[in-house]
Every structure is written in structure tokens, then in C-alpha cells.
Amino acid sequence: KANRKFHPDDTVVDVSGVKIGGGNFAVMAGPCSVESEAQIVEVARRVQKSGASLLRGGAFKPRTSPYSFQGLRAEGLELLSKARAATGQPIVTELMSSEHIPLFLQEKVDMIQIGARNMQNFELLKAVGRTNVPVLLKRGLSATLEELVMSAEYIMAEGNPNVVLCERGIRTFETSMRNTLDLAAVPMLKKMTHLPVVIDPSHAAGIAFMVPSLAAAAVAVGADGLMIEVHNDPKNAKSDGAQSLTPDQFDELMDVIRPELEFFGKKL
Ligand code: PEP
Ligand code: MN
């Protein structure tokens, strides 16, 4: 179902009115973790003003250490709903367990994120495949493109065709950055599948100063969108502060990619 051979036209995924793919470019921005109502509403307002079309924010967090902040969980989803009510932006947030699907449906999460660490959690993929909520499927830390496409296939095989793929950096021998951004994944995935492909330069680089140039590069290789971490106070963020842009820095990034999108004929 994901194979380009049998579906020559680009798929456009509609996330509560925001279109991704087929010439429609979407920017998802927001903090790594939802931390408080004041934080998420402030960031939502700022990124919307700069041109983001979706609000991201983690409520259930896949942290390397069990002693790190695990997210506000159900309360985090409620705060995302409040931010959505304030700005009207659809929300995208990570689902880590199928146990939480009823909660996600109850809060009307607009797009379900499957994180890199769960890309091959096949039962979880099947479970989101049985909903009709659009899915943002992130590439695993050391997954091949074929494996990523097969994971999309798991979701689609259960009846949910609304899948967006996300390249977020992979593990290589390089240690100076958190991950290595595989920009070549975009043209290759577009050859392999008809699904939209977005780039997350924040988790790829792990360092804020690189995010704007990698975002510009993502547009140039034909990505259908971006996921960017933005925090109102990166130094004191509960997760991923080092890679988070301030709202002002995000605003500058948008000023760089706007003319670029126009050049490539993409609609923001
Ligand atoms: C995230 O988006 O905050 C996240 C944990 O991403 P990934 O699964 O790509 O590491
Ligand atoms: Mn993060």
C-alpha cells in the first residue's frame, strides 16, 4: 500500500485541515515536552505567529534514563488541548503504548507520533492502524529506509492510509552531533513511496545552532515538512534544551525558508 509503483500520485495527508504532501508544506513546532499550561500556550502562540501549522509537544516521553523527566502524561495531553483551543492549531504528540489510545482519542489528538524507538513496535503500529488518526512515523535510530516503509505498511495494512514519514537522524560513527541527518532519505523515500516525508533537524543535530541550516537543506531536497523543537526557555527545558530554538530563532528560521518554499513551488 505504501509502494509508489502501485500509487504513482503523491499522497496528501490531511491533519484536521492542515495538508501535508503533494506540494503542501507543513511546519510542526513546539517544545520537546509539555511542561506547564503557561509554557505550552506561550510557545503555541509564538510558533503560530511565525507560521507553524501544527503544534508539537511530548506528554509521554521516551527517555533514555528512567530517572529523567517522563512527561506530564495525561495532564500533558489536556494542556495540549488547551493550547489548541487558544490557537486553533492541530496537535501532534507521541504515543508510546496502545493502552493510551482511548485517552488520545478522547483528547482528540490530531496526529499521533510514533517515535524512533517504537518504529518497529509492530503491535503498536497495528493498533494505530486501526484508528483513522493521521500518524507521524519517525525513522528508527538504525533503521533502513526499507524497514521504515515496511513499518508504514503495517499501519496502512490495518486500514489507516494517513501516514507521514519522518527522518530524524540516524546512528553513525560520527559523535560530534547527536545523530547524522540523512538528507538523501528524502529523494529515496519519495522514489520508494507516495507518502509525505518530513525532516526533524532538531533531533538529528541535537544542537540548536545547526537547526536553521539543516531545515533549509531539508526544503531543498524536497521534504514535505519540518518538525522543529521550540522552547520559551531552552536553558531550563526539562528535555532537549540544547537542540531547542527560542521563539525568536524559530521566527528567523521561518523567514529563511519562506522564500525557499516559494522558489520550489511549495505551499506553506
Ligand atoms: C521527540 O520528538 O521528542 C522524540 C523523542 O523524537 P524521536 O523519537 O525521533 O527521538
Ligand atoms: Mn525531543
Side-chain angles (χ1 to χ4, degrees):
K1 293 187 195 296
N3 198 323
R4 173 76 82 177
K5 229 190 276 171
F6 309 112
H7 308 264
D9 294 339
D10 284 347
T11 282
V12 179
V13 173
D14 187 315
V15 183
S16 306
V18 174
K19 293 187 166 58
I20 311 177
N24 304 285
F25 194 89
V27 179
M28 314 167 184
C32 181
S33 298
V34 179
E35 298 173 9
S36 69
E37 181 171 348
Q39 176 237 19
I40 193 68
V41 172
E42 151 97 3
V43 175
R45 288 216 166 97
R46 295 290 309 269
V47 298
Q48 183 185 44
K49 216 166 146 205
S50 302
S53 39
L54 288 114
L55 175 66
R56 68 144 283 145
F60 293 89
K61 293 304 301 177
R63 304 306 300 282
T64 300
S65 164
Y67 307 117
S68 299
F69 178 60
Q70 300 288 302
L72 294 180
R73 303 172 68 85
E75 189 196 345
L77 293 186
E78 280 172 34
L79 297 182
L80 280 167
S81 285
K82 282 191 181 163
R84 175 178 52 195
T87 64
Q89 287 166 301
I91 54 182
V92 51
T93 193
E94 180 165 352
L95 174 76
M96 288 176 44
S97 163
S98 55
E99 268 174 50
H100 301 138
I101 289 178
L103 192 60
F104 275 54
L105 296 178
Q106 187 192 310
E107 292 293 345
K108 300 192 168 59
V109 167
D110 301 280
M111 184 176 221
I112 294 176
Q113 177 173 327
I114 298 295
R117 290 155 194 81
N118 273 316
M119 188 204 85
Q120 287 189 313
N121 183 339
F122 300 118
E123 290 299 320
L124 184 62
L125 298 176
K126 287 182 197 171
V128 295
R130 290 190 289 265
T131 74
N132 57 11
V133 182
V135 178
L136 180 71
L137 178 64
K138 296 188 95 174
R139 183 182 183 182
L141 309 180
S142 52
T144 65
L145 298 179
E146 181 67 31
E147 287 164 343
L148 172 59
V149 173
M150 274 314 197
S151 290
E153 196 72 31
Y154 262 94
I155 299 168
M156 300 170 86
E158 293 293 324
N160 186 348
N162 307 304
V163 180
V164 174
L165 305 174
C166 179
E167 157 62 30
R168 44 77 74 206
I170 50 174
R171 285 237 163 122
T172 68
F173 50 81
E174 180 53 58
T175 55
S176 61
M177 292 157 282
R178 185 175 184 182
N179 292 290
T180 297
L181 180 58
D182 181 10
L183 282 171
V186 177
M188 186 52 82
L189 284 171
K190 288 191 157 282
K191 195 173 162 63
M192 295 163 75
T193 89
H194 51 90
L195 299 172
V197 181
V198 307
I199 292 265
D200 169 354
S202 304
H203 289 88
I207 327 168
F209 88 89
M210 290 191 153
V211 170
S213 50
L214 294 180
V219 175
V221 291
D224 299 295
L226 286 167
M227 170 169 267
I228 308 283
E229 284 190 341
V230 180
H231 197 285
N232 52 335
D233 183 9
K235 277 193 198 64
N236 292 304
K238 292 200 165 147
S239 60
D240 287 351
Q243 68 197 33
S244 298
L245 302 184
T246 63
D248 285 341
Q249 289 168 332
F250 176 69
D251 194 62
E252 287 165 29
L253 179 158
M254 292 301 291
D255 284 344
V256 170
I257 67 163
R258 226 175 263 113
E260 199 189 358
L261 287 168
E262 204 165 308
F263 178 81
F264 286 106
K266 292 258 167 86
K267 264 205 313 280
L268 185 63

